[in-house]
Amino acid sequence: MDTQIGQRHGGFLGVLQRALARASPHIWFERAEAKDRILVAKRLKEHVTDPKNPPILIFPEGTCINNTSVMQFKKGSFEVGGVIYPVAIKYDPRFGDAFWNSSRFSMMQYLFLMMTSWAIVCDVWYLPPMERAEGESAIDFANRVKRVIADQGGLVDLVWDGQLKRSKPKKEWKEKQQEKFSKLLKGE
């Protein structure tokens, strides 16, 4: 069984997480805790160095998306070393939309919709293993893997972080974009 990694949740989702953790090995973390990020990276490195350990299942976007695109991957998964086995998944929305729009539906509403849909149909492609090239940064490696997945699934390869939908952009990012737009308007 694969080891899975994910953000620790409370409520009903937290109950499911704890049940899963009893069935197979998991690494849970608090996204906002810098200490957790360091510990998770350490555990990942330890895990991939032992060939007896099962593969780790990671969703490197760190959030859900609407089945049209692949968002920026978190670089942490690509810093630990080891072989990456990319998987492209594309859902067929004709029978039921597997995308959970958390701003429209609660977890319970979403689960009800999933359990009562006619079927959840998806195409799954297991792509060739990939390794980080010598001199390649973790970000470049993550982008290369993302591009392969997007191409295979016929998805748009986005360059933005999906977590932006949950939080306001940093002031510096906003100012940088305003400056670019200002220069564009001035014809610079």
Side-chain angles (χ1 to χ4, degrees), residues 3-138:
T3 297
Q4 297 181 21
I5 297 175
Q7 179 179 345
R8 189 174 292 120
H9 291 278
F12 180 71
L13 195 52
V15 171
L16 287 176
Q17 282 182 324
R18 288 186 292 280
L20 282 171
R22 287 190 294 273
S24 67
H26 289 72
I27 300 171
W28 300 124
F29 62 90
E30 293 289 343
R31 194 177 303 278
E33 282 292 322
K35 289 183 284 184
D36 271 10
R37 292 176 188 213
I38 294 166
L39 290 172
V40 168
K42 182 179 178 223
R43 287 184 65 193
L44 285 172
K45 286 179 184 179
E46 289 169 359
H47 187 91
V48 299
T49 56
D50 186 349
K52 292 182 230 157
N53 284 334
I56 300 172
L57 176 62
I58 299 174
F59 294 92
E61 289 171 304
T63 189
C64 300
I65 192 160
N66 63 4
N67 200 40
T68 62
S69 312
V70 181
M71 292 184 292
Q72 179 182 20
F73 284 0
K74 305 293 182 202
K75 70 177 180 166
S77 308
F78 299 89
E79 290 177 322
V80 298
V83 178
I84 301 288
Y85 298 91
V87 177
I89 302 171
K90 173 102 185 224
Y91 290 94
D92 185 336
R94 291 179 291 184
F95 302 109
D97 189 1
F99 171 63
W100 175 31
N101 184 341
S102 59
S103 62
R104 278 188 63 201
F105 302 109
S106 71
M107 173 57 89
M108 294 307 288
Q109 288 172 314
Y110 170 72
L111 287 175
F112 177 76
L113 290 171
M114 290 298 91
M115 298 300 176
T116 58
S117 67
W118 179 254
I120 301 296
V121 178
C122 66
D123 292 312
V124 179
W125 295 274
Y126 297 93
L127 304 169
M130 298 177 73
E131 292 187 66
R132 190 168 162 183
E134 192 174 320
E136 184 176 38
S137 73

Side-chain angles (χ1 to χ4, degrees), residues 151-164:
D151 289 348
Q152 180 63 57
L155 302 164
V156 177
D157 183 359
L158 295 175
V159 294
W160 61 276
D161 184 352
Q163 293 304 325
L164 291 175

